[in-house]
Amino acid sequence: MAHVISNDCVGCGSCISECPVDAITEGTPYVIDAATCTDCGSCALVCPVSAISAG
Ligand code: SF4
């Protein structure tokens, strides 16, 4: 499983530096590489608009 970023993403970039495996790519919305994500949940904790959820 992997976490997923919804269209609620406002592109703030807060999540990128939190990912220990560099699975997040900039965009609108930002995208998590499902093959790389370890489901740690670190990104979801810092998202200001709660756009990241467990997939
Ligand atoms: Fe990276 Fe963890 Fe978020 Fe997956 S859940 S994208 S490993 S920070």
Side-chain angles (χ1 to χ4, degrees):
M1 296 298 293
H3 272 55
V4 177
I5 302 178
S6 77
N7 287 328
D8 290 337
C9 171
V10 294
C12 72
S14 299
C15 55
I16 278 201
S17 60
E18 299 300 318
C19 182
V21 293
D22 291 330
I24 305 176
T25 303
E26 284 182 47
T28 310
Y30 276 48
V31 175
I32 294 173
D33 177 11
T36 306
C37 174
T38 60
D39 243 2
C40 75
S42 298
C43 53
L45 294 177
V46 300
C47 180
V49 295
S50 299
I52 307 178
S53 57

